[in-house]
Each structure stands twice: as structure tokens, then as C-alpha cells.
Amino acid sequence: DQQVKQNSPSLSVQEGRISILNCDYTNSMFDYFLWYKKYPAEGPTFLISISSIKDKNEDGRFTVFLNKSAKHLSLHIVPSQPGDSAVYFCAARPNSGYALNFGKGTSLLVTP
Amino acid sequence: DADVTQTPRNRITKTGKRIMLECSQTKGHDRMYWYRQDPGLGLQLIYYSFDVKDINKGEISDGYSVSRQAQAKFSLSLESAIPNQTALYFCATSDGTTGGYTFGSGTRLTVV
């Protein structure tokens, strides 16, 4: 049963605009949430994370928001750039220390 | 040199053959993981190891086995390959703190 869900397989955004990628989870026992970015023919790379005790974490153009009551997190990219075009995976770590659970990914295309 | 190296990068094998995928890391991390990526299914955990003497099954371990030869080496074997094991395989490591993983570049396996 998928505990981390990314319901939008793809998203297209114009350069300079905001990209918002969404993720929902079903298990309250996650202590960290992470976003990974993947280019074709490469492994995923870590982008940004947030602890379950926070509701926002910002790193440059990337901000992750966590809404625990809704079991929802989102990644905001502002401004979006063509180099941001990639597949983005949402992941969650159980507080038992088990391995990460990944969503199915959202393919972001940023057009000039 | 990459922090996490996977060999081979690409492999075509026949149904019924035994095949080993290798992973080595220079991060000094204790934790290592094998994930499989199929189109539209995200990353699914096959096996994970929290130290040399600790091996655990993930959500899709059937048909696979692993060996943790050293802290830096974690190999994945398909005992008798079948076509539905055609996928992209990723090895990853972590230090177990915030949950961030370092991934290898992947092995694209095709079983014909």
C-alpha cells in the first residue's frame, strides 16, 4: 500500500513562474520528509528536507511546506528555470528508522 | 570518483540466468540500500543493510538476494532472472541521521 503519494505524474510551468509539486502521506509515524530530483540517466539527488516538527524549510529557490493535519507537503520552486526540468520524488522516513518510502514521482517541465 | 559506484551501468541478460549488480561507496556510511525503479511506480525498496551483519528485506525482495561484503560494498543478485525484473536499479547509502541518501547512477537491466 503506497504510503507516500504524488498524484500528479507531470507538471508544465513557464520559466520564471512558480512550480508547486504536491505530496500526500498516510502514515503519521514519519519523522522526516525529503525531496529528490532526478535527471535522465542519473541517480536521484537530494534536494531539500523538513523535519516533522517544522512546517517550512527554505533553501534558495526551493521551499518545502509541511501541513501535518492534512498529511500534505509541497515543494515550491521560485523562480522556475529550464534546468529544473526533471522528475521530483517525495520521500518520507519512518521514525522507527526504517528505509525511506518514495512516491511515484512528478515530472516537471519548465518551458522558456 | 563518484561517492556511490554501480556496475555495470547497463546489462542485457537472458531469462533464467544469474546476475549480480555491484555497488561500492566511499562515503563511509553504514547504511546501504537497493531500490528498483519502474516507469510510473517510483522507487521500491528491495533490500537494505544497516551494517555488515544486518540485512533486511524490503517490500519487493522476492527473486532477489544480497550480500554485504564490507562496509563499502553491497551487491544485489538475481538468482534466476525473469523478464519482469527488467528495470532501473539504484544503490544508495545514508548515515542514518536526517534520512538523506546518496544514490549511485543506476544499472539498467533488461531480461530477455
Side-chain angles (χ1 to χ4, degrees):
Chain A
D1 207 21
Q2 192 96 20
Q3 296 186 51
V4 178
K5 299 179 182 181
Q6 293 177 257
N7 293 318
S8 298
S10 62
L11 175 67
S12 183
V13 171
Q14 247 184 336
E15 181 178 6
R17 304 260 183 169
I18 184 171
S19 295
I20 300 177
L21 294 92
N22 293 302
C23 179
D24 297 296
Y25 60 97
T26 59
N27 188 340
S28 298
M29 306 303 283
F30 292 129
D31 64 355
Y32 266 95
F33 300 89
L34 306 93
W35 286 93
Y36 284 81
K37 176 179 179 178
K38 184 185 180 303
Y39 292 118
E42 295 182 13
T45 56
F46 170 73
L47 189 58
I48 191 168
S49 66
I50 186 168
S51 164
S52 61
I53 63 173
K54 306 278 189 183
D55 53 22
K56 177 182 175 181
N57 187 28
E58 191 171 353
D59 184 2
R61 296 186 297 115
F62 303 92
T63 303
V64 56
F65 295 92
L66 176 62
N67 181 335
K68 288 186 287 294
S69 61
K71 294 189 174 67
H72 178 83
L73 65 155
S74 60
L75 174 68
H76 293 210
I77 307 173
V78 183
S80 301
Q81 300 173 353
D84 296 328
S85 297
V87 176
Y88 290 78
F89 290 100
C90 172
R93 187 181 81 164
N95 58 17
S96 59
Y98 188 61
L100 293 179
N101 284 276
F102 284 86
K104 294 182 180 182
T106 296
S107 179
L108 172 66
L109 177 65
V110 180
T111 57
Chain B
D1 283 347
D3 292 327
V4 180
T5 302
Q6 291 184 237
T7 56
R9 287 298 308 273
N10 292 282
R11 181 72 181 267
I12 300 173
T13 192
K14 293 185 177 180
T15 297
K17 292 289 187 183
R18 184 179 189 275
I19 182 169
M20 180 183 288
L21 309 182
E22 300 193 14
C23 177
S24 63
Q25 54 115 346
T26 58
K27 299 285 288 183
H29 291 164
D30 287 325
R31 301 183 177 203
M32 298 188 73
Y33 312 83
W34 277 102
Y35 282 86
R36 165 180 171 160
Q37 186 190 8
D38 295 276
L41 291 181
L43 293 161
Q44 297 174 279
L45 181 66
I46 307 173
Y47 270 94
Y48 65 104
S49 169
F50 282 1
D51 67 42
V52 175
K53 297 181 180 178
D54 176 74
I55 303 287
N56 303 281
K57 292 183 178 181
E59 53 192 312
I60 56 162
S61 59
D62 287 350
Y64 301 95
S65 63
V66 291
S67 173
R68 185 82 185 266
Q69 301 96 324
Q71 187 208 33
K73 295 182 183 293
F74 192 36
S75 58
L76 175 72
S77 294
L78 286 67
E79 298 302 325
S80 179
I82 56 176
N84 77 0
Q85 291 176 313
T86 293
L88 194 52
Y89 290 85
F90 288 104
C91 174
T93 74
S94 77
D95 62 7
T97 54
T98 60
Y101 286 8
T102 302
F103 280 87
S105 298
T107 293
R108 183 168 296 282
L109 177 66
T110 304
V111 183
V112 298

